[in-house]
Amino acid sequence: MTRSPSPGAPAGTAPSVLFVAPDRTRADAVAAALDRHDVSVTVEFDLGTALDRIDDRTVDCLLVPRQFGQHTAADVVALVRDRHPEVPVVLLGPDKAGDDGDGGGGDADPLAADAAVYRFSDDVDSISYDRLADRVRAAVARYRSSQAQRTERDIVSRLERRIQRTERKITSLHGVAMRLASASDADDIYEETVEAAERILNLDICFAFEAEADRFVPRAQSSTPTDRELRPVPKDAGAMGETFRTGESHRAVDMELHAFGRPEFGDYRSGLSVAIGSFGVFQAVSEQTGAFDEIDLELAELLVAHTNAALQRLNFERRLRVERDQYAALFENSADCIIDSEFVDGESVIRAVNPAFEATFGYDESEVVGRAIDDVVAPDDRREEAAKLTEMVRAGDFVQTEVRRRTADGEKDFLLRSVPVGENTIYAVYTDITARRDVEREVEAQNRRLDEFTSVVSHDLRNPLSVATGHLDIAREEVDNDHLAAVARAHDRMNALTEELLVLARQGTDAFATTSVSLAETAERCWENVETGDATLVVASDRTVVADAGRLHQLFENLMRNSVEHGSTGSRIPSDDAVEHGSTGNRTVSGDAVEHGSTGSRIPSDDAVEHGSTGNRTVSGDAVEHGPQSETGSTDGGDDAEDAANAEDAVDDGDRLTVTVGALDDGFYVEDDGAGVPPELRSRIFDSGFSTGTAGIGFGLTIVSNVADAHGWTVSVGKSDAGGARFEFTGVESEP
């Protein structure tokens, strides 16, 4: 029969006692009494059955009478100990020798050496159940403690054995790391990794895959036979793709329950997936679920870390060889002078120089190796400067500065770049800038002369010109003479030339700042500032460009002035010197329109043929001052009125100049419908000082070219649809 723990007893804490009872009366009495003391009692009347119950490990203590049938207590304990050496046995009742139950039973007691045997000498009919319950609980507590200690020892023992095996594996992996570190080929590294995983980590089926552009390619596999063929897999495939993308390892206890457990090749049930850095993925698989634990994963990660380090080392060595080859080629073939040096006792000592150094400095490598750089190339008066630069480089600074250094042919200017490499190495690179510095010094000298020139133009010429103009004004108030008009025109011409010279001289020295500028507004303002006579402006675009507003004004004004002055083919030029560079028209109304040689039929200017006209008539007092005339009219000025009227008639006939400003795909143009520029002159038209006559100084279009260059534009001259001149500017940045 079985008795359960009394109500209120904590589950699992009450001792579980198996009472081998001699009869039912005693069984019921003992079971009921112990039940009241929170001791769970199971009663068996058969000793064999009781021993089987102990085998189930559901019994904490065996309660046996001193005499069970023909069996003594010693017989019963012996039977129990054959099968269960540690289960406590409580002997119930006095023994024949009169033992009171508290002693050890004497030296002759066969049970004296058994610490798990407890005697309770009370007679069955007069038992103190309080004492019996205490004796049972004490025996059970000792037994349970012993069992717990034994279980703990077993666990510790198993862990120690596992740790020892793990330590042996780790030690073996260090040997693998040494072999990987000496491998000279990636294939050997992958093969060594898989072989070590199989041999040391007991990963029977494993693989190494290398990442390519869009897939993983198998590089090595374990020797365990498998009927599954390895093949390339897509870069985003299952756990392999996720492992490579994130760098995180994965352990699948059951592929069907893992988020990335779709088998890439075959019906495996569990697996490990570890990234080999940026090179690929290592995987181990099994046909059994739960084949790998966390230690297996950690050991695989340790092995793969060695693999990644070996592949990185191999990759680094490959890049290093390439870089060394490139450096050697650069060192030998560089046009710059390069010195390879090292610090010795505080000085930078030359180890090697390249051919460019030998050619530029004029020293053979054998002459300078082993000597301090400053002793070889630093002039005596620059030794202190050179020493400071050396100290800066030694402190780890990158130095870039212009220096003057000594060569076999004398001192030259160099751009020095000193680069510290490591703790003791310096690469000193010298770029010969002597020619550039000579040019800069010449430019500086030219600028000084230019400053002197602009000073003369703006002060020394303008002042006497102002005085002359003032006296001329007084003279014209007192005297009415046509010669004074010629003087006035000469003064105006001198003023115009002075302004052009100053503009040309100041280009490049004024501040240059770009902004958004409207072509239409700029063209219209400039048109108002230029003497255009009866010419017409047409603006065919409202484009906004990025330019310096002031210089764009200079460009437009000079182009417009050029068109009005040099674009006429007939009598449509009302300017004083409109045909300065050679008009072929029939008539002009300009005072000095054919100053450089007109072939027109009539010239009403006072000095129109100052340099030799071949026209049919002139009415100027000094018209043929420098050459014969074929027909001379009166000097009373009558023909002037006639010519003016004729000029007006010509204008009325629609023979007026039109200047057009428009847009190109990447710029703009300025064109006219005048005489145009002969093809043979287009390549020279922007040259400074170029002119087709003798009155102009040829700076107007030079200013235009300089403005375009300052903006980075390209300017070209060609023929307009109407036959006139067309100036195109490309490479111009436009605002949307």
Side-chain angles (χ1 to χ4, degrees):
M1 65 181 286
T2 302
R3 299 283 185 177
S4 299
S6 61
T13 60
S16 178
V17 175
L18 179 60
F19 179 31
V20 184
D23 55 60
R24 183 170 298 281
T25 301
R26 292 183 182 179
D28 291 341
V30 172
L34 290 179
D35 183 62
R36 290 192 297 271
H37 290 81
D38 295 330
V39 176
S40 176
V41 178
T42 300
V43 177
E44 287 291 347
F45 299 99
D46 181 78
L47 183 59
T49 303
L51 293 178
D52 290 339
R53 294 290 299 273
I54 297 175
D55 289 339
D56 295 339
R57 297 185 180 277
T58 59
V59 175
D60 294 323
C61 179
L62 187 65
L63 182 62
V64 183
R66 287 278 187 174
Q67 188 71 35
F68 187 82
Q70 297 180 351
H71 298 288
T72 65
D75 296 334
V76 173
V77 170
L79 291 172
V80 173
R81 290 293 175 255
D82 284 344
R83 298 169 67 172
H84 303 288
E86 297 179 358
V87 173
V89 178
V90 177
L91 300 178
L92 183 62
D95 63 9
K96 297 178 180 179
D99 185 4
D100 61 2
D102 295 327
D107 293 338
D109 187 354
L111 304 178
D114 193 335
V117 173
Y118 301 87
R119 297 169 179 79
F120 191 80
S121 60
D122 286 4
D123 187 76
V124 174
D125 297 328
S126 59
I127 293 176
S128 172
Y129 288 104
D130 289 341
R131 291 180 59 209
L132 178 59
D134 290 341
R135 182 63 57 88
V136 169
R137 277 191 286 268
V140 170
R142 183 176 179 182
Y143 172 65
R144 287 179 175 176
S145 175
S146 174
Q147 288 297 102
Q149 291 177 1
R150 180 176 179 179
T151 301
E152 182 178 348
R153 286 194 301 270
D154 290 344
I155 294 173
V156 170
S157 177
R158 289 196 298 272
L159 287 176
E160 287 177 347
R161 289 194 297 272
R162 183 68 183 271
I163 290 172
Q164 290 172 357
R165 290 195 300 271
T166 302
E167 288 178 345
R168 286 195 295 271
K169 291 179 180 180
I170 292 174
T171 301
S172 299
L173 289 180
H174 284 309
V176 173
M178 297 296 293
R179 291 192 294 276
L180 290 174
S182 62
S184 59
D185 184 81
D187 289 334
D188 294 340
I189 293 175
Y190 288 117
E191 290 289 348
E192 179 68 28
T193 299
V194 169
E195 192 275 333
E198 185 179 15
R199 175 175 52 85
I200 299 174
L201 306 185
N202 300 321
L203 303 178
D204 295 335
I205 306 175
C206 52
F207 321 94
F209 284 80
E210 186 175 58
E212 292 187 351
D214 57 352
R215 62 179 186 169
F216 295 107
V217 178
R219 296 296 300 272
Q221 79 178 94
S222 55
S223 61
T224 302
T226 175
D227 57 356
R228 297 169 177 85
E229 179 184 0
L230 280 186
R231 61 186 182 278
V233 296
K235 202 73 169 285
D236 58 352
M240 188 181 298
E242 180 69 13
T243 299
F244 183 77
R245 186 182 66 82
T246 64
E248 297 179 358
S249 301
H250 288 273
R251 178 173 70 94
V253 176
D254 188 337
M255 291 287 192
E256 295 181 356
L257 303 178
H258 195 276
F260 309 108
R262 186 180 72 255
E264 286 88 26
F265 41 86
D267 299 326
Y268 296 107
R269 299 300 305 277
S270 60
L272 302 175
S273 187
V274 181
I276 312 175
S278 61
F279 298 99
V281 177
F282 169 85
Q283 285 195 330
V285 294
S286 173
E287 295 178 347
Q288 304 298 322
T289 59
F292 309 103
D293 59 17
E294 286 294 334
I295 293 180
D296 292 325
L297 179 60
E298 291 173 1
L299 289 174
E301 289 177 334
L302 178 59
L303 170 62
V304 170
H306 294 316
T307 304
N308 183 42
L311 291 171
Q312 285 183 331
R313 185 259 313 163
L314 202 65
N315 202 32
F316 173 77
E317 290 176 351
R318 187 181 299 109
R319 291 199 308 269
L320 186 61
R321 285 194 297 270
V322 172
E323 290 173 359
R324 284 174 177 171
D325 293 342
Q326 292 174 341
Y327 168 73
L330 176 64
F331 187 83
E332 290 298 320
N333 300 312
S334 175
D336 292 327
C337 309
I338 304 177
I339 300 176
D340 179 350
S341 64
E342 63 179 343
F343 282 114
V344 178
D345 297 331
E347 291 187 316
S348 183
V349 177
I350 299 174
R351 293 189 300 198
V353 297
N354 70 336
F357 175 90
E358 294 178 311
T360 302
F361 280 85
Y363 306 127
D364 290 337
E365 185 177 48
S366 59
E367 297 180 63
V368 298
V369 169
R371 298 175 59 189
I373 293 179
D374 295 345
D375 291 343
V376 175
V377 300
D380 294 337
D381 60 343
R382 297 178 181 266
R383 293 297 295 272
E384 184 176 351
E385 169 212 59
K388 289 181 180 178
L389 295 177
T390 300
E391 284 302 315
M392 290 173 62
V393 179
R394 189 176 185 184
D397 296 333
F398 170 76
V399 171
Q400 178 170 314
T401 186
E402 293 184 6
V403 297
R404 192 150 182 90
R405 289 295 179 259
R406 181 176 58 218
T407 72
D409 298 327
E411 295 185 6
K412 292 184 177 181
D413 294 306
F414 293 92
L415 173 63
L416 169 62
R417 286 156 291 177
S418 291
V419 183
V421 181
E423 295 183 358
N424 295 312
T425 300
I426 292 179
Y427 291 127
V429 182
Y430 291 90
T431 303
D432 189 355
I433 59 172
T434 303
R436 192 195 78 190
R437 291 293 293 128
D438 289 343
V439 171
E440 290 174 353
R441 283 188 283 267
E442 178 60 28
V443 170
E444 291 172 359
Q446 289 179 355
N447 287 338
R448 287 193 297 270
R449 293 193 295 270
L450 185 59
D451 289 340
E452 296 172 357
F453 169 74
T454 55
S455 176
V456 170
V457 171
S458 61
H459 297 94
D460 297 353
L461 289 182
R462 275 182 168 174
N463 289 340
L465 183 58
S466 297
V467 172
T469 301
H471 284 287
L472 176 62
D473 292 340
I474 295 172
R476 297 182 78 174
E477 291 177 0
E478 296 177 354
V479 179
D480 183 11
N481 190 304
D482 290 339
H483 293 292
L484 297 182
V487 174
R489 288 194 297 273
H491 286 177
D492 291 341
R493 182 60 177 161
M494 292 175 68
N495 270 321
L497 293 177
T498 300
E499 289 300 325
E500 284 193 357
L501 286 171
L502 289 176
V503 168
L504 187 62
R506 289 168 179 163
Q507 279 187 339
T509 61
D510 293 341
F512 188 89
T514 59
T515 186
S516 297
V517 184
S518 168
L519 288 179
E521 293 178 3
T522 303
E524 290 167 358
R525 271 199 306 272
C526 293
W527 188 257
E528 295 174 357
N529 296 335
V530 176
E531 293 294 336
T532 58
D534 293 317
T536 302
L537 173 67
V538 175
V539 179
S541 173
D542 59 353
R543 178 173 295 180
T544 297
V545 299
V546 177
D548 182 281
R551 297 199 182 190
L552 188 60
H553 271 254
Q554 295 174 1
L555 181 145
F556 273 124
E557 287 182 358
N558 280 278
L559 284 176
M560 292 172 178
R561 187 177 294 112
N562 181 80
S563 291
V564 173
E565 292 178 352
H566 307 304
S568 175
T569 59
S571 59
R572 61 185 175 199
I573 304 179
S575 169
D576 285 345
D577 58 349
V579 206
E580 176 184 338
H581 297 280
S583 171
T584 59
N586 296 323
R587 302 188 61 188
T588 70
V589 293
S590 168
D592 57 351
V594 211
E595 186 174 71
H596 299 285
S598 171
T599 59
S601 59
R602 297 191 62 193
I603 303 176
S605 169
D606 288 339
D607 59 349
V609 207
E610 180 178 333
H611 299 282
S613 171
T614 59
N616 296 324
R617 292 191 62 198
T618 69
V619 292
S620 171
D622 59 348
V624 282
E625 180 178 338
H626 299 285
Q629 59 184 19
S630 59
E631 181 178 343
T632 305
S634 66
T635 60
D636 59 2
D639 286 339
D640 287 339
E642 178 186 350
D643 291 338
N646 291 335
E648 292 175 1
D649 291 340
V651 172
D652 290 341
D653 291 338
D655 196 16
R656 294 179 178 177
L657 182 74
T658 299
V659 177
T660 303
V661 176
L664 300 171
D665 289 342
D666 62 341
F668 61 91
Y669 66 87
V670 178
E671 67 177 16
D672 59 51
D673 57 358
V677 181
E680 65 273 12
L681 299 182
R682 292 172 187 170
S683 62
R684 302 171 54 201
I685 197 170
F686 296 111
D687 293 346
S688 179
F690 175 76
S691 174
T692 59
T694 58
I697 59 173
F699 286 157
L701 293 182
T702 301
I703 294 173
V704 171
S705 177
N706 289 348
V707 171
D709 290 342
H711 286 84
W713 303 339
T714 299
V715 57
S716 61
V717 61
K719 183 179 180 181
S720 69
D721 292 340
R726 178 182 173 94
F727 294 87
E728 293 188 352
F729 300 85
T730 55
V732 181
E733 181 181 353
S734 300
E735 290 288 344

